[in-house]
Amino acid sequence: QVQLVESGGGLVQPGGSLRLSCAAAGSIFSIGVWGWYRQAPGKERELVAAIANRDITNYADSVKGRFTISRDNTKNTVYLQMNSLKPEDTAVYYCNRAPTLPYWGQGTQVTVSS
């Protein structure tokens, strides 16, 4: 059972930056795909970034060029660097495997507002 603990969210102004962290204790972390998901009020949860073996990454079009996903296998942690944040990035952000485990962490709230 992997424990998923997201952190780093907060309130930021448009154009600002945040770095999210996901500590995935108990996982065989270096194996498989990890992703960052987000869910805005009234919307479906969506995958915004993923990182696979050999650090191959992929991004949703909405965040491409602004977000960077990375991982540190020695710390069992996946990161999401978010730059040039927009109000439409406001959501609860979650980490999980891709495809997802049958459970989620608590997420971390990101609010982009002036």
Side-chain angles (χ1 to χ4, degrees), residues 38-110:
R38 69 185 182 189
Q39 187 169 30
K43 295 185 177 181
E44 291 286 306
R45 204 188 313 254
E46 63 173 340
L47 178 66
V48 298
I51 184 164
N53 294 337
R54 302 182 67 176
D55 288 345
I56 297 169
T57 59
N58 202 7
Y59 301 91
D61 288 342
S62 59
V63 308
K64 195 171 299 181
R66 300 187 297 118
F67 290 11
T68 303
I69 188 171
S70 61
R71 66 199 294 174
D72 186 339
N73 291 337
T74 68
K75 298 179 179 179
N76 285 8
T77 301
V78 60
Y79 304 95
L80 186 67
Q81 178 67 47
M82 305 185 295
N83 298 326
S84 302
L85 283 162
K86 304 175 180 179
E88 49 263 47
D89 295 319
T90 296
V92 179
Y93 284 71
Y94 304 85
C95 65
N96 213 311
R97 288 193 176 275
T100 59
L101 297 162
Y103 52 86
W104 298 83
Q106 79 283 3
T108 185
Q109 175 72 50
V110 172

Side-chain angles (χ1 to χ4, degrees), residues 11-14 87 111-114:
L11 175 64
V12 65
Q13 294 184 338
T111 302
V112 185
S113 176
S114 59

